């Protein structure tokens, strides 16, 4: 996690400098600050700072990973990474539901927004519980 928080905070410092430069530049060119770009850069700075701060906070609480140690070998990072679905239609359904909700916002149709949000919740639950079999195994059984 040490590498991640450094990358995010370096990008955050760059974005903060770009925000100041952009605001000063637009103020000098047109006599007023162009607020949309300045606020977008400022929010990007805050988002990168938040992510970098989270990774810094987590990196203090966990042991060093092989990626963070300069003396690590490739074999130190070997092992199971996790389970990845070989094929699923739920991401397509989730994207379609989000598009329906966004279309409802574009045309400001409350019924379409509601239908899209219900579909988003349904698709997110479907994606989340795709491999849940319903059986619970405990040490007692």
């Amino acid at each position: 996690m040490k590498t991640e928080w450094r990358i995010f905070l370096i990008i955050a410092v760059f974005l903060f400098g770009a925000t100041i430069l952009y605001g000063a530049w637009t103020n000098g060119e047109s006599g007023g600050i162009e607020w949309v770009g300045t606020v977008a850069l400022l929010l990007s700075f805050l988002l990168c700072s938040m992510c970098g701060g989270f990774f810094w906070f987590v990196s203090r609480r966990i042991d060093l990973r092989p990626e963070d140690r300069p003396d690590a070998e490739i074999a130190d990072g070997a092992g199971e990474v996790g389970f990845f679905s070989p094929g699923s239609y739920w991401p397509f359904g989730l994207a379609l539901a989000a598009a329906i909700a966004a279309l409802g916002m574009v045309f400001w149709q409350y019924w379409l927004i509601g239908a899209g949000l219900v579909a988003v919740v349904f698709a997110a639950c479907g994606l989340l519980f795709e491999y849940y079999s319903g059986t619970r195994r405990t040490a007692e059984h």
Side-chain angles (χ1 to χ4, degrees), residues 4-140:
E4 288 88 349
W5 72 261
R6 286 182 179 164
I7 290 172
F8 272 103
L9 291 182
I10 287 170
I11 293 171
V13 168
F14 168 77
L15 287 170
F16 185 71
T19 303
I20 293 171
L21 182 66
Y22 184 80
W25 196 320
T26 58
N27 189 25
E29 288 287 322
S30 63
I33 296 176
E34 197 275 314
W35 288 107
V36 175
T38 306
V39 170
L41 284 169
L42 182 65
L43 290 175
S44 299
F45 155 73
L46 291 173
L47 181 64
C48 283
S49 298
M50 182 181 69
C51 292
F54 171 76
F55 285 136
W56 173 75
F57 184 75
V58 169
S59 72
R60 295 183 318 143
R61 288 173 168 46
I62 63 172
D63 294 332
L64 285 177
R65 300 175 307 161
E67 296 89 6
D68 297 330
R69 293 191 343 246
D71 62 335
E73 296 291 330
I74 293 175
D76 294 340
E80 184 176 333
V81 177
F83 174 75
F84 300 98
S85 177
S88 174
Y89 292 110
W90 285 111
F92 175 74
L94 188 59
L96 185 65
I100 289 171
L103 197 62
M105 286 186 210
V106 166
F107 293 112
W108 206 242
Q109 298 293 319
Y110 295 113
W111 66 273
L112 196 55
I113 295 172
L117 291 179
V118 167
V120 164
V121 170
F122 179 72
C125 290
L127 182 65
L128 184 65
F129 296 115
E130 183 174 15
Y131 290 102
Y132 179 70
S133 63
T135 58
R136 183 176 236 171
R137 296 176 190 234
T138 60
E140 298 170 1

